[in-house]
């Protein structure tokens, strides 16, 4: 009951943060359209981190991440005159980001990795976890996982135990640990993606 | 990621005028293009005698015109919404195609079950040429307006502009020129396809030259 209440509280809080960001970005961009350079700089600095998280969740961790963020900011700069402040900003913003990123990744197809149909690069789970752990939302999102998945992830990816050691600690087989880690990463990715949007 | 890049973008900031909404732009373009085509057509020759009576007294003919007009509106709406990131154009595009196919199918059905008895009444000597020429200024203007915005798929946006711009003279010819299904498909409808193909090719070549995907 307490867990459900906490989850509901989290949802309400997340939604409020989501709406606050929506309003903030929209207001700053409207001010930028009027020529307010300070508001524009503040917006771009905040977007820089948001875009980074969005690109990781959608396209995986890539050596071109910084280039994609930079290209996206440049495209936002070029397209800023088309934004209508009466409309939500996220569809406008992430349509530009998605399109420019896919374009850039296709033009600079890496040799070793395949760029998938939607532009995602096969991602290294350890790199994803490392990047995820550095964000301030990681604790909150981990708390929302089931205890089975969270324990497997924490023991293997954060505390560095081997799969065998983790299996012994949890009293399950190694294959069960691998499945829980895989599902945990997938759920974190989904939750993180929802946060970014 | 350098903060200097962000600071540079901020320093380069200039105030921008809010653009017309896609809906308002679509309406403006449609009104202007239809007026232009009607005036140009009337300037070069009279409209078919009795077309107004035919519209009122023949429901199938009125349906044909309605399908075509609705397709023009959907294609034009899609063309200008495609010029601004974040607008969903799928419904308009699908509706436009359904309506355009419905419009064309009336002529195919008309080979067996014509709306009117086919006749040479109102034949214009250069209707195909008129259909091509009248569609060029509206499509050029539409593409220019699209490029002033930020189309993420410029070729697709231009294609829908070409479809809409090509259909306007074709619809006007339905009341200005002779009514005969084979003639309509060959000389009024085919220019739409050719115009769209030319626009697509030109854009494809332009984007290849610019090094875009």
């Amino acid at each position: 009951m307490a867990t459900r209440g906490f989850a509901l509280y989290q949802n309400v809080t997340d939604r409020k943060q989501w709406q606050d960001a929506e309003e903030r970005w929209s207001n700053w961009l409207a001010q930028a359209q009027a020529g307010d350079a300070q508001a524009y700089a503040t917006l771009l600095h905040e977007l820089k981190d948001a875009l980074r998280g969005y690109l990781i969740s959608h396209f995986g961790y890539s050596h071109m991440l910084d280039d994609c963020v930079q290209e996206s900011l440049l495209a936002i700069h070029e397209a800023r005159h088309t934004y209508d402040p009466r409309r939500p900003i996220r569809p406008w913003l992430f349509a530009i980001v998605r399109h420019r990123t896919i374009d850039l990744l296709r033009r600079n197809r890496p040799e070793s990795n395949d760029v998938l149909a939607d532009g995602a690069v096969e991602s290294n789970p350890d790199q994803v976890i490392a990047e995820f752990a550095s964000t301030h939302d990681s604790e909150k999102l981990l708390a929302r996982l089931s205890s089975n998945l969270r324990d497997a992830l924490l023991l293997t990816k954060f505390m560095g135990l081997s799969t065998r050691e983790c299996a012994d600690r949890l009293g399950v087989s190694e294959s069960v640990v691998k499945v829980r880690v895989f599902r945990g990463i997938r759920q974190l990715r989904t939750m993180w993606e929802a946060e970014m949007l | 990621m350098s903060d200097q890049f962000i600071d540079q973008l901020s320093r380069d900031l200039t105030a921008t005028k809010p653009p017309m909404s896609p809906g308002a732009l679509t309406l403006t373009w449609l009104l202007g293009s239809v007026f232009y085509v009607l005036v140009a057509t009337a300037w070069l020759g009279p409209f078919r005698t009795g077309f107004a009576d035919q519209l009122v007294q023949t429901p199938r003919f009125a349906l044909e015109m309605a399908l075509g007009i609705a397709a023009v509106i959907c294609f034009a709406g899609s063309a200008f919404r495609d010029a601004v990131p974040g607008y969903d154009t799928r419904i308009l595009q699908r509706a436009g195609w359904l309506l355009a196919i419905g419009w064309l199918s009336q002529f195919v059905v008309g080979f067996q079950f014509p709306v009117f008895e086919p006749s040479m009444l109102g034949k214009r000597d250069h209707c195909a040429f008129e259909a091509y020429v009248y569609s060029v200024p509206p499509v050029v203007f539409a593409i220019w307006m699209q490029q002033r915005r930020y189309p993420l798929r410029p070729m697709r946006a231009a294609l829908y502009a070409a479809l809409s711009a090509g259909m306007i003279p074709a619809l006007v010819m339905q009341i200005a020129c002779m009514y005969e299904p084979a003639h309509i498909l060959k000389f009024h409808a085919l220019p739409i396809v050719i115009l769209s193909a030319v626009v697509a090719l030109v854009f494809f070549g332009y984007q290849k030259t610019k090094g875009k995907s």
Side-chain angles (χ1 to χ4, degrees), chain B residues 137-212:
Chain B
V139 73
V140 167
F141 183 71
I143 292 172
W144 179 68
M145 291 306 292
Q146 287 170 342
Q147 292 299 308
R148 280 164 58 90
R149 281 145 178 81
Y150 196 82
L152 295 177
R153 292 181 178 84
M155 189 159 87
R156 186 177 83 178
L159 202 57
Y160 279 102
L163 285 169
S164 189
M167 279 187 76
I168 295 173
L171 284 168
V172 171
M173 286 301 155
Q174 269 195 264
I175 58 175
C177 188
M178 62 180 273
Y179 189 95
E180 199 273 315
H183 176 92
I184 291 172
L185 285 173
K186 221 184 323 181
F187 298 113
H188 305 168
L190 188 58
I192 304 169
V193 175
I194 293 177
L195 176 76
S196 304
V198 167
V199 164
L201 275 170
V202 166
F203 248 92
F204 183 74
Y206 173 72
Q207 285 181 351
K208 277 285 182 192
T209 315
K210 285 279 179 183
K212 288 182 185 176

Side-chain angles (χ1 to χ4, degrees), chain A residues 32-37 40-41 44-45 48 69-70 73 75 77-82 87 91-92 95-96 99-100 103, chain B residues 1-3 5-7 9-10 12-19 21 83-87 148-150 152-153 211 213:
Chain A
Q33 288 174 331
D36 186 342
Y40 191 50
L44 292 184
H45 279 291
K48 182 184 73 178
V69 173
Q70 193 157 316
L73 289 176
H77 180 72
E78 290 168 351
R80 70 190 188 280
H81 64 288
T82 66
R87 295 176 61 84
W92 176 87
I96 294 171
H99 188 266
R100 285 301 278 253
D103 207 29
Chain B
M1 162 91 213
S2 170
D3 286 342
F5 178 71
I6 290 177
D7 292 338
L9 288 181
S10 311
D12 289 345
L13 186 72
T14 52
T16 56
K17 227 173 66 166
S21 72
V84 179
Y87 278 89
R148 280 164 58 90
R149 281 145 178 81
Y150 196 82
L152 295 177
R153 292 181 178 84
S213 63

Side-chain angles (χ1 to χ4, degrees), chain A residues 104-128:
Chain A
L104 184 67
L105 291 175
R106 280 189 181 144
R107 274 188 281 126
N108 296 276
R109 219 173 274 259
E111 285 172 12
S112 54
N113 290 344
D114 283 335
V115 175
L116 303 177
D118 64 354
V121 178
E122 286 181 8
S123 53
N124 181 338
D126 290 329
Q127 282 176 316
V128 172

Side-chain angles (χ1 to χ4, degrees), chain A residues 135-150:
Chain A
T135 69
H136 64 275
D137 290 331
S138 57
E139 283 180 27
K140 184 182 69 178
L141 292 181
L142 276 169
R144 283 159 61 179
L145 288 177
S146 68
S147 58
N148 282 347
L149 301 185
R150 185 174 56 246

Side-chain angles (χ1 to χ4, degrees), chain A residues 37-69:
Chain A
Q38 182 60 43
Y40 191 50
T42 311
L43 170 67
L44 292 184
H45 279 291
E46 188 162 315
L47 281 183
K48 182 184 73 178
D49 294 328
L51 294 189
R52 203 176 162 80
Y54 173 83
L55 289 172
I56 289 170
S57 70
H58 272 73
F59 298 96
Y61 191 84
S62 162
H63 64 284
M64 296 200 60
L65 182 60
D66 284 343
D67 290 336
C68 291
V69 173

Side-chain angles (χ1 to χ4, degrees), chain B residues 17-49:
Chain B
K17 227 173 66 166
M20 214 186 267
S21 72
L25 184 57
T26 302
L27 186 62
T28 307
W29 180 83
L30 277 172
L31 289 174
S33 301
V34 168
F35 179 75
Y36 151 72
V37 173
L38 284 171
V39 166
T41 306
W43 184 55
L44 272 188
F47 281 55
R48 185 172 72 243
T49 309

